[in-house]
Structures are given as structure tokens and as C-alpha cells.
């Protein structure tokens, strides 16, 4: 990312919201799956290096997964969030979080409907029509 600014680095809890909230765009590296929130048009990229979510995504692709993906994805992570004027990159690695850790809340707003939380940082980007991708840090 050219002219990037570090927005956050540290441990956080993860909260993925909504069906279709992640679009897998690269699974070629078995140690890192790359997603966009909502779609590539959102310009919010997630690089997940955590092995359990990677295994869960692989199981879904193979038609062998019986649980909700979000249940596995929503585990604590060490985050590095960097951004520039029109895009965000979120790296997730295995991490620890406690009740006072911020929450990285990610998902897609559809038809302007989204639960309200007190946020300390947020980035929203329209995909098309009434659909918006977002990433936010929520106070515990």
C-alpha cells in the first residue's frame, strides 16, 4: 500500500456479521487466506493468517463444514490495520484478547440496516446500491 497509515496494531476480538460478509479472493497460500469485505469493490482487504479460520474456509470449499463459519472466524486476533485514502488492509494473526480488548466488527450493511455499537474507528465503503462494506473497532 502506497502512502499507508497504521490505524491499529494489537490484540482484538473479532465480530463478523452477516451472510456474504467475506468474499474469498486468494486461497493459494495455505498460511494466509485473503478476503474482501462484501466484494473487491469495498477496498477493505482481510489477510487472515489464523489456522483455524483457514481450515474452516477450506472445509466449506470442500463441502465438509457443519458449523457456522463466523463461529470459527470470530476468535481473538493480533491485528495490524493499515490504510490509505481509499483502501484498508487488515492482517489477522493468532492472538489473545480479553474483555477490555477492542472488537473489530466487520460485515456488510444492506438496505442501511446495521445494529448500533459505540465505535472508536470505522471505515465504510459503498459497494453498489444500498450495500456498504465496513470495518470498525468497537469499545468493549
Amino acid at each position: 500500500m502506497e502512502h499507508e497509515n497504521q490505524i491499529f496494531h494489537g490484540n482484538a476480538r473479532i465480530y463478523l456479521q452477516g451472510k456474504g460478509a467475506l468474499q474469498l479472493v486468494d486461497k493459494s497460500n495455505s498460511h494466509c487466506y485473503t478476503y474482501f469485505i462484501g466484494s473487491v469493490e469495498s477496498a477493505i482487504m482481510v489477510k487472515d493468517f489464523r489456522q483455524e479460520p483457514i481450515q474452516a474456509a477450506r472445509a466449506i470449499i470442500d463441502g465438509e463444514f457443519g458449523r457456522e463459519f463466523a463461529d470459527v472466524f470470530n476468535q481473538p486476533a493480533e491485528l495490524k490495520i493499515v490504510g490509505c485514502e481509499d483502501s484498508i488492509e487488515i492482517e489477522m494473526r493468532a492472538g489473545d484478547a480479553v474483555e477490555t480488548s477492542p472488537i473489530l466488527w466487520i460485515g456488510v450493511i444492506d438496505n442501511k440496516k446495521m445494529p448500533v455499537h459505540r465505535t472508536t474507528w470505522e471505515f465504510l465503503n459503498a459497494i453498489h446500491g444500498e450495500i456498504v462494506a465496513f470495518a470498525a473497532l468497537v469499545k468493549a
Side-chain angles (χ1 to χ4, degrees), residues 65-114:
F65 196 68
R67 297 183 345 187
E68 284 291 324
F69 176 72
D71 292 342
V72 177
F73 189 84
N74 290 346
Q75 61 179 283
E78 179 183 335
L79 299 179
K80 180 180 176 189
I81 303 173
V82 294
C84 61
E85 192 171 303
D86 56 359
S87 64
I88 295 291
E89 183 174 301
I90 302 167
E91 283 188 13
M92 297 180 170
R93 298 183 187 277
D96 298 313
V98 294
E99 288 296 315
T100 57
S101 296
I103 298 167
L104 176 66
W105 182 28
I106 55 178
V108 175
I109 299 169
D110 192 3
N111 200 23
K112 299 181 185 175
K113 294 180 182 172
M114 170 178 151

Side-chain angles (χ1 to χ4, degrees), residues 16-136:
L16 175 66
Q17 181 174 347
K19 292 195 180 286
L22 292 178
Q23 178 187 22
L24 180 62
V25 293
D26 187 1
K27 59 182 174 105
S28 62
N29 181 344
S30 64
H31 301 290
C32 175
Y33 274 22
T34 302
Y35 304 87
F36 277 92
I37 298 175
S39 78
V40 174
E41 296 164 330
S42 75
I44 306 174
M45 179 188 293
V46 175
K47 290 186 170 187
D48 195 350
F49 293 86
R50 301 170 302 155
Q51 286 306 299
E52 285 183 66
I54 289 172
Q55 291 169 356
R58 192 175 304 126
I60 289 170
I61 292 166
D62 293 342
E64 301 169 357
F65 196 68
R67 297 183 345 187
E68 284 291 324
F69 176 72
D71 292 342
V72 177
F73 189 84
N74 290 346
Q75 61 179 283
E78 179 183 335
L79 299 179
K80 180 180 176 189
I81 303 173
V82 294
C84 61
E85 192 171 303
D86 56 359
S87 64
I88 295 291
E89 183 174 301
I90 302 167
E91 283 188 13
M92 297 180 170
R93 298 183 187 277
D96 298 313
V98 294
E99 288 296 315
T100 57
S101 296
I103 298 167
L104 176 66
W105 182 28
I106 55 178
V108 175
I109 299 169
D110 192 3
N111 200 23
K112 299 181 185 175
K113 294 180 182 172
M114 170 178 151
V116 178
H117 290 281
R118 193 167 154 205
T119 62
T120 58
W121 168 83
E122 63 184 33
F123 184 82
L124 295 102
N125 212 351
I127 297 173
H128 55 81
E130 297 291 322
I131 299 174
V132 176
F134 69 91

